[in-house]
């Protein structure tokens, strides 16, 4: 197996949930929604962000168009997410050991590219592929192939996929011919090769192969 490892970004290399909590507090403060508004936002479970902001506008009867609220969210999030120094160090060690390291991420181009640059991840890997840029998204194997190619590799040589989503990352990674590591604190029925609670735990599994 070639030395290729692809990582998901949100809630794998960076803490998107924590950043969302910070955004919710800011948004509620800006619009005068109070603590109840913050709790409502944090409890909102709509995976598609464009639909989420339509519901937010409706629920709070906000004057701004949903599209404007969503655009504001995408512009703000890159400044709220963080990548732990330990994670950046792990990526550096893998590359120093001869691994080609890439990122394959779903999401809108402006939001995801902003996060890659603001966190330093864009410079910490050999290549990346973002769904909003390429017009395809995980679990489509084509997005994994683009990420691998930008790392100077091909999926035919095998490698690893590390991510938190059992469908986009684990099923997608397996379909791409990669071994998989699922990052989750609540494992429940997955075909992943390994399960870890923190992405840092993946390094030993990858390096020990």
């Amino acid at each position: 197996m070639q030395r290729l490892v692809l990582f998901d970004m949100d809630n794998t290399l960076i803490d998107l949930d924590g950043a969302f909590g910070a955004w919710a507090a800011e948004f509620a403060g800006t619009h005068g929604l109070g603590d109840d508004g913050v709790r409502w936002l944090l409890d909102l479970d709509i995976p598609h962000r464009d639909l989420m902001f339509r519901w937010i506008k409706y629920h709070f009867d906000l004057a701004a168009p949903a599209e404007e609220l969503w655009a504001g969210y995408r512009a703000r999030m890159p400044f709220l997410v963080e990548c732990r120094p330990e994670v950046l160090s792990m990526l550096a060690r893998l590359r120093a050991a001869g691994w080609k390291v890439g990122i394959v991420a779903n999401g809108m181009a402006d939001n995801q590219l902003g996060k890659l640059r603001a966190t330093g991840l864009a410079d910490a890997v050999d290549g990346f592929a973002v769904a909003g840029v390429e017009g395809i998204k995980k679990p489509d194997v084509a997005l994994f192939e683009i990420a691998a190619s930008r790392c100077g590799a091909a999926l035919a040589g095998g490698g690893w996929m590390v991510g938190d989503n059992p469908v986009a990352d684990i099923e997608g990674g397996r379909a791409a011919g990669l071994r998989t590591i699922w990052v989750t604190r609540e494992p429940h029925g997955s075909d992943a090769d390994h399960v870890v609670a923190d992405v840092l735990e993946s390094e030993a599994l990858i390096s020990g192969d």
Side-chain angles (χ1 to χ4, degrees):
M1 183 179 71
Q2 69 182 335
R3 291 198 161 197
L4 170 69
V5 54
L6 302 179
F7 289 91
D8 169 55
M9 181 167 62
D10 293 337
N11 287 328
T12 297
L13 294 177
I14 63 175
D15 180 12
L16 182 63
D17 289 343
F20 184 83
W23 170 85
E26 286 188 359
F27 185 84
T30 298
H31 295 279
L33 307 180
D35 291 341
D36 287 342
V38 175
R39 284 190 289 271
W40 187 90
L41 289 167
L42 293 178
D43 289 339
L44 191 59
D45 186 17
I46 301 178
H48 299 290
R49 295 303 196 203
D50 56 341
L51 297 178
M52 182 182 80
F53 280 97
R54 293 179 203 176
W55 187 239
I56 290 172
K57 171 181 169 58
Y58 170 80
H59 181 80
F60 293 111
D61 193 24
L62 300 176
E67 294 79 5
E68 181 180 317
L69 297 174
W70 188 31
Y73 166 87
R74 299 199 310 269
R76 181 59 180 145
M77 283 300 282
F79 299 96
L80 297 176
V81 297
E82 296 180 355
C83 183
R84 289 174 290 166
E86 301 94 322
V87 172
L88 293 172
S89 295
M90 175 191 70
L91 299 178
R93 286 192 298 272
L94 287 170
R95 294 177 78 189
W99 287 85
K100 294 294 185 180
V101 178
I103 292 174
V104 55
N106 282 348
M108 299 288 289
D110 54 355
N111 189 25
Q112 300 299 64
L113 292 175
K115 284 188 259 184
L116 282 163
R117 293 170 184 141
T119 58
L121 284 169
D123 296 323
V125 298
D126 295 291
F128 53 82
V130 173
V133 175
E134 310 302 337
I136 48 178
K137 65 180 182 178
K138 298 179 292 184
D140 192 322
V141 170
L143 194 63
F144 295 87
E145 185 60 69
I146 292 171
S149 176
R150 292 194 178 138
C151 293
L155 292 180
W160 289 95
M161 175 62 200
V162 184
D164 74 302
N165 189 294
V167 176
D169 299 320
I170 304 308
E171 291 184 16
R174 287 173 63 84
L178 303 173
R179 299 182 69 183
T180 55
I181 300 175
W182 187 21
V183 181
T184 180
R185 295 184 182 276
E186 299 179 2
H188 50 82
S190 168
D191 290 329
D193 293 288
H194 301 281
V195 178
V196 297
D198 189 295
V199 69
L200 295 175
E201 298 172 35
S202 69
E203 182 180 6
L205 296 170
I206 295 164
S207 299
D209 186 75

